[in-house]
Amino acid sequence: MTTGMRGARVLAALIVMGGAALGPGSAAGAEENGPDRTVGKKEAQTKDRRPPRTEPIGKTSYPLGPSGPAFQEPVAGGSITGGAPASAVDHPYIVGIRSIFWEDNGNGGLDGWQSTCTGTILSSTKILTAGHCTVDLPLGTTYVIAGRNNLADTNGGFVAAVASTWVHPSYGSSSNVPRNDVAVLTLKKPLPSQYTPIPMVAQGSTSGEVDGTSAQIVGYGITASGQSDSGILRAATTPIRSDSTCSTGLGAGFDAATMLCAGSPGSGIDTCGGDSGGPIVATVAGVKKQVGVTSWGPTTCGASYGAYAQLSLFNSLITADLTRPDPNNLDWTGDGHSDLIARTPGGQLLLYYGTGLVNLPSMQAFGGLVTSIGTGWGSFAKLFRVRNWNGDGTESIFGMLGDGNLVQYRSDGEGNFTTGSAERIGWGWNVFRDIMVTSNWTNNGRPNLLGRTAGGDLYLYTSDGSGGWMNGGIGIKIGTGWNMFDTVVTPGTWLGDGLQALIGRTPNGQLRLYQSNGAGGWVNGYGVLIGTGWNVFTRFMSPGDLNGDNQVDMIGVNPAGGMYLYPSDGHGNWLNNGLGIMIGSGWNSLNAVF
């Protein structure tokens, strides 16, 4: 197995409008007068060892859940260049990561690509991989695939969807190579118990990093630079090398403080494109432990040494993500990053995909590709998104018409509507001044709608988990006096305790937090003041996580159209000293953002 950032991207067939979907009407072009994304292109990373874009995508969807036995049958151990085929049953901690994404081809259409990476299991819902495998996937959909020797073989294994992503807060690139190159994917549903974690080396431990230590590399990468055979699990043994050897062999790109390297130049053994995010494993005190994450290497795989993110430095940061609650991302495309959907005055819906990062000079919260996903949406008095209303883990767009009818447009979880027809799911909703969405108000794992009347009464409606209503569709009154607020937002579990929260804004700009008790009632029915001055925004909301720290954020749009990000620490406190970070302009040209 050979390598040079080691993720694989593969060309798909050209389409006219990738991700374009049917709403009340459809359109094949993006609105030219939408917000300025102020996005630069990613720095070319020639050492990330992505395979050449020559292999067409065979399919753009992976059916979720099990597809036969937990592990495919063991493969024969015939030798290949630099390693041998491996059986997933012998590496139950390994997963393949496949992302389908779309890029503007400059001719009025989009090209589809497939990215292959590797990951390891931290827990039933957490997957460790490389940071560069997870960021800036235009209109992307990501799948985690366990138990397969061949990712394309659907006879066996388990496929999971991604809910959210944590990326190292200092992830970036320098000297054309990735830095702090680690990320954690959170899955929408847990993997079955047959797929087991591998322990990481302890924080600060140098065990397993001694020069000459025999280590195992495992991944779904290609067998040599220029090949297109990613997706087959392979393994090889190679020695870990000293920092001085790595610095000499890899040059200025190697950072001894955050990286380790391994290999024997000339042996033909190395990681390569598609192995990114996979493990290098060494025996520490008699126990196999992951000591590094496959990151980068020379463009020609095997020409020198392979570089790995050093887990003895990153263990604590990675482990901290294991207990973070779901930030409830508004993720239309399914790549684990929050997206925004906006409506123009002409009734067109535009999708702004989230990059998963904010902290790089060349990358903003939303990518440069804006996609039209429908026309004719101007008749709705209210538009909002609901995740998992039908029990399938996907998002729907709900719309309330002026006559009070409430309709649903289902999606496939990949950025497309399943049909062009609306489903009426309720009527009489025009009695409410506002409608809000929470993901788990009564602690039964089902989403809810909250209706607020002009008189300030608050009513709770809960999904039955299959597209209908609990309680016969009759709302349950859970509060009064909510007309003191001009806006109420639902940021999920704002305090990080698993309990849903509401935040109300008064006309004078105060923010007050109200916390659910997990049983449909309240922890603090009087509210807690958490901010002032928020009346500077004409619109504000919580999109989930925008900056890649897997913690709830808030965004606000001022009258001039500037959009500002307010990150939190996931426990009810503001980061960045409570100061907003400008992430876009021109958002006042849109009459709805959700």
Coordinates of all heavy atoms in Angstrom, one line a residue, residues 1-4 6 49 82 216-219 221-225 236 238 262-263 268-276 278-280 293-298 300-303 305-308:
M1 N 0.9 -1.2 0.0 CA 0.0 0.0 0.0 C 0.9 1.2 0.0 O 1.7 1.4 0.9 CB -0.9 0.0 1.3 CG -1.8 1.1 1.4 SD -2.9 0.9 2.8 CE -1.7 0.8 4.1
T2 N 0.7 2.1 -1.0 CA 1.6 3.3 -1.1 C 0.7 4.5 -0.9 O -0.5 4.5 -0.9 CB 2.3 3.3 -2.4 OG1 1.3 3.4 -3.4 CG2 3.2 2.1 -2.6
T3 N 1.4 5.7 -0.7 CA 0.6 6.9 -0.6 C 1.2 8.2 -1.1 O 2.1 8.6 -0.8 CB 0.3 7.3 0.8 OG1 -0.3 6.6 1.1 CG2 -0.6 8.0 1.5
G4 N 0.8 9.8 -1.1 CA 1.4 11.1 -0.9 C 0.5 12.0 -0.3 O 0.0 11.9 0.3
R6 N -3.9 12.3 2.1 CA -4.0 11.0 1.5 C -5.5 10.7 1.4 O -5.9 9.7 1.9 CB -3.2 10.0 2.2 CG -1.7 10.4 2.1 CD -0.8 9.5 2.6 NE 0.6 9.9 2.4 CZ 1.7 9.3 2.7 NH1 1.6 8.2 3.4 NH2 2.9 9.8 2.4
R49 N -2.0 13.5 -1.4 CA -2.1 12.2 -2.1 C -3.5 11.7 -2.4 O -3.8 10.6 -2.1 CB -1.4 11.1 -1.2 CG 0.1 11.5 -0.9 CD 0.9 10.4 -0.3 NE 2.3 10.7 -0.2 CZ 3.2 10.0 0.3 NH1 2.8 8.8 0.8 NH2 4.4 10.3 0.4
G82 N 3.6 -3.2 -2.0 CA 3.8 -2.6 -0.8 C 3.0 -3.1 0.4 O 3.1 -2.6 1.5
Q216 N 1.9 -0.9 12.1 CA 1.0 -1.4 11.0 C 0.2 -0.2 10.5 O -0.4 0.6 11.2 CB 0.0 -2.4 11.5 CG -0.8 -3.1 10.4 CD -1.7 -4.2 10.9 OE1 -2.4 -4.1 11.9 NE2 -1.7 -5.3 10.2
I217 N 0.1 -0.1 9.2 CA -0.7 0.9 8.5 C -1.8 0.2 7.8 O -1.6 -0.9 7.2 CB 0.1 1.8 7.5 CG1 1.0 0.9 6.6 CG2 1.0 2.8 8.3 CD1 1.8 1.7 5.6
V218 N -3.0 0.7 7.9 CA -4.2 0.1 7.3 C -5.1 1.2 6.7 O -5.2 2.3 7.2 CB -5.1 -0.6 8.4 CG1 -6.2 -1.4 7.8 CG2 -4.2 -1.4 9.3
G219 N -5.6 0.9 5.5 CA -6.5 1.9 4.8 C -7.1 1.4 3.5 O -6.7 0.3 3.0
G221 N -6.7 3.0 0.6 CA -6.1 3.8 -0.4 C -5.7 3.0 -1.6 O -5.7 1.8 -1.7
I222 N -5.1 3.8 -2.6 CA -4.6 3.2 -3.8 C -3.3 2.5 -3.6 O -2.6 2.7 -2.6 CB -4.5 4.3 -4.9 CG1 -3.6 5.4 -4.5 CG2 -5.9 4.9 -5.3 CD1 -3.4 6.5 -5.5
T223 N -2.9 1.7 -4.5 CA -1.7 0.9 -4.4 C -0.4 1.7 -4.9 O 0.7 1.2 -4.6 CB -1.8 -0.4 -5.1 OG1 -2.1 -0.1 -6.5 CG2 -2.9 -1.3 -4.5
A224 N -0.6 2.7 -5.6 CA 0.6 3.5 -6.1 C 0.1 4.8 -6.6 O -1.1 5.0 -7.0 CB 1.3 2.7 -7.2
S225 N 0.9 5.8 -6.7 CA 0.6 7.1 -7.2 C 0.1 6.9 -8.7 O 0.7 6.2 -9.4 CB 1.8 8.0 -7.2 OG 2.3 8.2 -5.9
A236 N -0.1 -3.1 5.8 CA 1.3 -3.3 5.7 C 2.0 -3.0 7.0 O 1.4 -2.3 7.9 CB 1.9 -2.5 4.5
T238 N 5.5 -1.3 8.7 CA 6.6 -0.3 8.4 C 7.1 0.2 9.7 O 6.4 0.3 10.7 CB 6.0 0.8 7.5 OG1 7.1 1.5 7.0 CG2 5.1 1.7 8.2
A262 N 6.8 7.4 9.3 CA 7.2 6.0 9.3 C 7.5 5.7 7.8 O 7.1 6.3 6.9 CB 6.1 5.2 9.8
G263 N 8.3 4.6 7.7 CA 8.6 4.1 6.3 C 10.0 3.7 6.1 O 10.9 4.0 7.0
G268 N 8.9 0.4 -1.0 CA 7.6 0.4 -1.7 C 6.4 0.3 -0.7 O 5.3 0.2 -1.1
I269 N 6.7 0.4 0.6 CA 5.6 0.3 1.6 C 5.3 1.7 2.1 O 6.2 2.4 2.6 CB 6.0 -0.6 2.8 CG1 6.2 -2.0 2.3 CG2 5.0 -0.5 3.9 CD1 6.7 -3.0 3.3
D270 N 4.1 2.1 2.0 CA 3.7 3.5 2.4 C 2.2 3.6 2.3 O 1.6 2.8 1.7 CB 4.4 4.5 1.5 CG 4.3 5.9 2.0 OD1 3.9 6.1 3.1 OD2 4.7 6.9 1.3
T271 N 1.7 4.6 2.9 CA 0.3 4.9 2.7 C 0.2 5.8 1.4 O 1.1 6.3 0.9 CB -0.3 5.7 3.9 OG1 0.5 6.9 4.1 CG2 -0.4 4.9 5.1
C272 N -1.1 5.9 0.9 CA -1.3 6.6 -0.4 C -2.7 7.2 -0.4 O -3.4 7.1 0.6 CB -1.0 5.6 -1.6 SG -0.5 6.5 -3.1
G273 N -3.1 7.7 -1.6 CA -4.4 8.4 -1.7 C -5.5 7.5 -1.3 O -5.7 6.4 -1.8
G274 N -6.4 8.0 -0.4 CA -7.5 7.2 0.1 C -7.2 6.6 1.5 O -8.1 6.2 2.2
D275 N -5.9 6.6 1.9 CA -5.6 6.1 3.3 C -5.7 7.2 4.3 O -5.6 7.0 5.5 CB -4.2 5.5 3.3 CG -4.1 4.2 2.5 OD1 -5.0 3.4 2.5 OD2 -3.0 4.1 1.8
S276 N -5.8 8.5 3.8 CA -6.0 9.6 4.7 C -7.0 9.3 5.8 O -8.1 8.8 5.6 CB -6.4 10.8 4.0 OG -5.4 11.4 3.2
G278 N -6.7 7.2 8.2 CA -6.5 5.8 8.7 C -5.4 5.8 9.8 O -4.7 6.7 10.0
P279 N -5.3 4.6 10.4 CA -4.4 4.5 11.5 C -3.0 4.0 11.2 O -2.8 3.3 10.2 CB -5.1 3.5 12.4 CG -5.6 2.5 11.4 CD -6.0 3.4 10.2
I280 N -2.0 4.4 12.0 CA -0.8 3.7 12.2 C -0.8 3.2 13.6 O -1.0 3.9 14.6 CB 0.5 4.6 11.9 CG1 1.7 3.7 12.0 CG2 0.5 5.9 12.7 CD1 3.0 4.4 11.4
V293 N -2.5 9.4 12.8 CA -3.5 9.4 11.8 C -2.9 9.7 10.5 O -2.2 10.7 10.4 CB -4.6 10.5 12.1 CG1 -5.6 10.7 11.0 CG2 -5.4 10.1 13.4
T294 N -3.1 8.9 9.4 CA -2.5 9.1 8.1 C -2.8 10.5 7.6 O -4.0 10.9 7.5 CB -2.9 8.1 7.1 OG1 -2.6 6.8 7.6 CG2 -2.3 8.3 5.8
S295 N -1.8 11.3 7.2 CA -2.0 12.7 6.9 C -1.5 13.0 5.5 O -2.2 13.4 4.6 CB -1.4 13.6 7.9 OG -1.6 14.9 7.6
W296 N -0.1 12.9 5.3 CA 0.4 13.4 4.0 C 1.8 12.7 3.7 O 2.3 11.9 4.5 CB 0.6 14.9 4.0 CG 1.6 15.4 5.0 CD1 1.4 15.6 6.4 CD2 3.0 15.7 4.8 NE1 2.6 16.1 7.0 CE2 3.5 16.1 6.0 CE3 3.8 15.7 3.7 CZ2 4.9 16.5 6.2 CZ3 5.1 16.1 3.8 CH2 5.7 16.5 5.0
G297 N 2.3 13.0 2.6 CA 3.6 12.5 2.2 C 4.0 13.0 0.8 O 3.2 13.8 0.2
P298 N 5.1 12.6 0.3 CA 5.5 13.0 -1.1 C 4.5 12.7 -2.1 O 3.7 11.7 -2.0 CB 6.8 12.3 -1.3 CG 7.3 11.9 0.0 CD 6.1 11.7 0.9
T300 N 4.8 11.3 -4.9 CA 5.0 9.9 -5.3 C 5.0 9.1 -4.1 O 6.0 9.1 -3.3 CB 6.3 9.8 -6.1 OG1 6.3 10.6 -7.3 CG2 6.5 8.3 -6.5
C301 N 4.0 8.3 -3.9 CA 3.9 7.4 -2.7 C 5.1 6.5 -2.6 O 5.4 5.8 -3.6 CB 2.6 6.7 -2.7 SG 1.1 7.7 -2.9
G302 N 5.7 6.4 -1.4 CA 6.8 5.5 -1.2 C 8.1 6.1 -1.5 O 9.1 5.4 -1.3
A303 N 8.2 7.3 -2.0 CA 9.4 7.9 -2.4 C 10.3 8.3 -1.2 O 11.5 8.4 -1.2 CB 9.2 9.2 -3.3
Y305 N 9.1 9.1 3.3 CA 8.4 8.6 4.5 C 7.0 9.2 4.4 O 6.7 10.2 3.7 CB 9.1 9.1 5.7 CG 10.5 8.7 5.9 CD1 11.5 9.6 5.5 CD2 10.9 7.4 6.2 CE1 12.8 9.3 5.6 CE2 12.2 7.1 6.3 CZ 13.2 8.0 6.0 OH 14.5 7.6 6.1
G306 N 6.1 8.5 5.1 CA 4.7 9.0 5.3 C 4.6 9.7 6.6 O 5.2 9.4 7.6
A307 N 3.8 10.8 6.6 CA 3.6 11.7 7.8 C 2.2 11.4 8.4 O 1.2 11.2 7.7 CB 3.8 13.1 7.4
Y308 N 2.2 11.4 9.7 CA 1.0 11.1 10.5 C 0.8 12.2 11.6 O 1.7 12.6 12.2 CB 1.1 9.7 11.1 CG 1.4 8.6 10.1 CD1 2.7 8.4 9.6 CD2 0.4 7.8 9.6 CE1 3.0 7.4 8.7 CE2 0.6 6.9 8.7 CZ 1.9 6.6 8.2 OH 2.2 5.7 7.3

